[in-house]
Amino acid sequence: MENIFNYRIDKLEDYFLSINEKKFKATQVYDWLYKKRVFDFKKMTNLKKELIAKLETDFSIDLIEIVKKQTDKDTSKYLFKLADDNYVESVLMYHDYGISICVSSQVGCNMGCAFCESGRLKKVRNLETYEMVEQILLIEQDIKKRISSVVIMGIGEPFDNYDNVMNFIKIINHDKAIAIGARHITVSTCGIVPKIKMLENEPLQINLAISLHAPNNELRSKLMKINKVYNINELITTLKEYIKKTNRRVTIEYVTLNGVNDSKKCALELANLLKGMNAYVNLIPYNETNNLGFKKSPKKTILEFYDTLKKEKINVTIRREFGSKIDAACGQLRSKEVDA
Ligand code: SAH
């Protein structure tokens, strides 16, 4: 039995055709699930009793569960318990332009970035599509508001769970489901080159963000193990091809770590690497965690880094800090729960 939230509408249409029902039943079911937010087949009153019984034997609508919520001003962090007692987290952020959610894509992560709390706990498994869809549905239900954008930047490496993540994106993007515009969906990767090439061919106008965090191979390999598999040169070449093919701007994420990657030399090297590319740099103030040795860069250093990039004509922004008081750094809430 599969969870109904794993199903794209075209797959649900195929299902109805396969049981000799009309295709539009899929739209009716989607309407209950995503427009009326009714999570019980028995309450889908425009379906015949026999069909409801059939749906109940073929699908589950089990929900993941919110077990903890921590709120600080414009940010809330949710801890979810999955059906097999694993935990993941999502972050809700209020911006002046709308509300965004940062969703997790895996339980734990195998990428092993030195500064990241999520990677301290190894990957247990990939999330299924429904577990990502429900992070959004349950948070919307909790706040009684609709969210406007989604970033796949929570626990996990989305491109290490490519198929489920793409399925998830197609569902939330669909008009008959949550209808979040593709331009309001961002997927962030540590740089899994073959999957960036696959994304190039998806008919989706979503945003791609790359966690670069260092401007040369020596430093990047120390911070991010993935660099030993796909190094900077290969990554940048792939991004240039991606930009050319899709005509879309790429975001380069750069977490500033005190005394590690925040020098003027690093900024110049980064500018040189990105020169002429349709990319913009998002400088991310590091969210310190208790378990890893890194410290955040002082404000002044971040501003100098920013100025250096600006002078070199690189588009750059500094990310607003969210939720540092509520353990909102990637994976912090889950790791507290698991360590406890
Ligand atoms: N695996 C994906 C997505 C999840 S991490 C990726 O690597 O992009 C989302 C972003 O948060 C990445 O840029 C990651 O490097 C960054 N990050 C991880 N730990 C952080 C911390 N403690 N403070 C600030 N950013 C962090």
Side-chain angles (χ1 to χ4, degrees):
M1 203 159 54
E2 217 180 317
N3 191 298
I4 190 89
F5 293 113
N6 280 342
Y7 271 61
R8 289 207 312 264
I9 194 157
D10 53 322
K11 209 172 147 203
L12 201 56
E13 286 171 349
D14 290 345
Y15 162 81
F16 280 113
L17 291 174
S18 78
I19 59 164
N20 292 320
E21 289 281 349
K22 293 270 184 335
K23 227 164 93 165
F24 78 88
K25 299 279 177 204
T27 298
Q28 290 184 321
V29 169
Y30 250 53
D31 205 52
W32 286 108
L33 295 173
Y34 293 104
K35 303 293 177 217
K36 302 194 185 83
R37 302 289 164 102
V38 166
F39 302 150
D40 180 353
F41 291 120
K42 281 201 179 60
K43 294 184 179 150
M44 301 185 178
T45 48
N46 57 357
L47 304 179
K48 285 183 303 230
K49 284 229 162 54
E50 303 80 67
L51 184 57
I52 290 175
K54 172 81 179 142
L55 288 171
E56 282 185 319
T57 57
D58 289 345
F59 297 102
S60 65
I61 314 192
D62 296 339
L63 300 174
I64 63 175
E65 219 186 305
I66 296 175
V67 289
K68 198 184 269 180
K69 177 183 177 185
Q70 282 174 216
T71 300
D72 171 34
K73 279 193 307 216
D74 47 15
T75 312
S76 292
K77 181 107 181 180
Y78 290 85
L79 186 70
F80 287 99
K81 189 171 175 181
L82 311 178
D84 60 358
D85 289 349
N86 277 305
Y87 295 92
V88 289
E89 42 191 78
S90 317
V91 184
L92 169 77
M93 290 161 281
Y94 291 90
H95 313 263
D96 37 15
Y97 58 82
I99 306 174
S100 71
I101 294 186
C102 174
V103 304
S104 292
S105 58
Q106 297 180 315
V107 179
C109 183
N110 275 348
M111 299 302 120
C113 298
F115 50 85
C116 178
E117 185 71 16
S118 303
R120 210 168 57 82
L121 303 169
K122 289 284 150 275
K123 175 171 100 177
V124 178
R125 66 172 174 86
N126 284 332
L127 289 193
E128 285 192 51
T129 299
Y130 81 88
E131 293 170 313
M132 294 181 264
V133 172
E134 289 179 9
Q135 291 174 52
I136 298 177
L137 294 176
L138 291 180
I139 290 177
E140 287 192 336
Q141 195 174 51
D142 183 58
I143 61 172
K144 300 184 177 60
K145 284 193 188 92
R146 293 296 160 94
I147 56 133
S148 52
S149 56
V150 171
V151 297
I152 307 163
M153 289 189 191
I155 298 172
E157 167 48 49
F159 283 178
D160 187 34
N161 184 15
Y162 187 86
D163 292 344
N164 290 345
V165 166
M166 284 303 136
N167 198 36
F168 160 68
I169 291 173
K170 285 169 189 161
I171 289 173
I172 61 170
N173 174 238
H174 201 282
D175 280 351
K176 290 181 175 165
I178 312 182
I180 296 167
R183 287 192 173 76
H184 298 272
I185 300 173
T186 301
V187 60
S188 175
T189 178
C190 63
I192 301 187
V193 162
K195 298 296 162 50
I196 299 173
K197 292 183 175 164
M198 274 171 85
L199 184 67
E200 231 169 67
N201 297 313
E202 298 278 352
L204 281 170
Q205 299 283 316
I206 58 169
N207 305 307
L208 174 66
I210 303 291
S211 299
L212 192 66
H213 307 328
N216 60 60
N217 283 320
E218 194 194 349
L219 183 54
R220 192 164 191 264
S221 292
K222 277 189 201 145
L223 296 175
M224 301 175 73
K225 277 195 318 201
I226 192 72
N227 198 64
K228 295 178 187 159
V229 186
Y230 308 109
N231 68 29
I232 292 196
N233 324 14
E234 209 178 335
L235 180 57
I236 296 291
T237 305
T238 305
L239 289 177
K240 284 182 176 161
E241 283 164 14
Y242 174 90
I243 293 166
K244 196 165 160 204
K245 179 134 190 208
T246 62
N247 231 339
R248 268 176 258 149
R249 185 168 77 161
V250 164
T251 304
I252 302 292
E253 294 163 284
Y254 198 100
V255 171
T256 44
L257 302 163
N258 189 27
V260 176
N261 65 353
D262 60 355
S263 66
K264 180 158 186 180
K265 184 167 172 284
C266 282
L268 288 169
E269 221 176 331
L270 181 63
N272 199 30
L273 194 64
L274 303 179
K275 203 146 263 177
M277 238 170 106
N278 188 15
Y280 93 94
V281 176
N282 197 204
L283 294 177
I284 309 175
Y286 184 58
N287 223 327
E288 288 177 13
T289 89
N290 295 330
N291 305 302
L292 306 161
F294 296 92
K295 294 274 170 246
K296 66 195 285 183
S297 305
K299 271 236 159 63
K300 186 168 162 282
T301 313
I302 301 181
L303 288 172
E304 281 166 8
F305 201 95
Y306 172 92
D307 284 340
T308 305
L309 290 177
K310 274 263 158 184
K311 274 195 198 114
E312 295 295 315
K313 310 235 174 347
I314 301 292
N315 289 314
V316 54
T317 53
I318 300 175
R319 186 180 293 176
R320 216 174 101 207
E321 277 185 87
F322 282 99
S324 51
K325 288 200 197 70
I326 53 165
D327 298 332
C330 262
Q332 268 181 294
L333 210 56
R334 169 173 179 263
S335 73
K336 268 192 187 166
E337 196 67 32
V338 175
D339 281 347

